[in-house]
Amino acid sequence: MATSPDGARRVALEAQMAAISITDIKARTDRYAAAGVEACWFTDPKTVPWLDAVPSVQITRPEDGGPVQITAGAARFEQEWCHDRADCDWHSGCVEGAVPSG
């Protein structure tokens, strides 16, 4: 369980290595949510039916003993700002002002 310094946000980090159905993992995720806890599931099997059904990441453990790597499920949004909408290459017809883009 990870908790923010002020205790307002809690995230359960679950390692799910055994087989589990989509129905069961969604139900467990829903129980966390009902208790005010976010959940993120980790797994290392090559194929799992629930990877896109709940917040999750897939990891691999290299045979050469290297560090664990995330192979699927993780993404990060990095926003960029268009300060001059007239020069914005990402969108046409954008709203005026500095807003996230890209």
Side-chain angles (χ1 to χ4, degrees), residues 2-91:
T3 305
S4 65
D6 64 1
R9 185 174 181 197
R10 297 181 302 159
V11 180
L13 304 171
E14 286 273 0
Q16 184 64 43
M17 303 311 199
I20 188 170
S21 70
I22 293 175
T23 301
D24 288 344
I25 202 163
K26 282 185 175 181
R28 287 174 62 181
T29 303
D30 290 345
R31 284 194 300 272
Y32 275 123
V37 178
E38 297 173 63
C40 184
W41 299 90
F42 293 79
T43 189
D44 70 347
K46 297 274 188 239
T47 59
V48 290
W50 49 263
L51 191 62
D52 294 325
V54 294
S56 56
V57 293
Q58 187 177 46
I59 59 172
T60 59
R61 292 182 261 181
E63 292 179 19
D64 66 1
V68 171
Q69 297 176 351
I70 296 172
T71 57
R76 183 172 79 197
F77 173 74
E78 290 188 28
Q79 63 189 17
E80 295 183 35
W81 293 86
C82 289
H83 292 284
D84 183 352
R85 302 308 273 176
D87 291 333
C88 182
D89 293 333
W90 293 304
H91 297 278

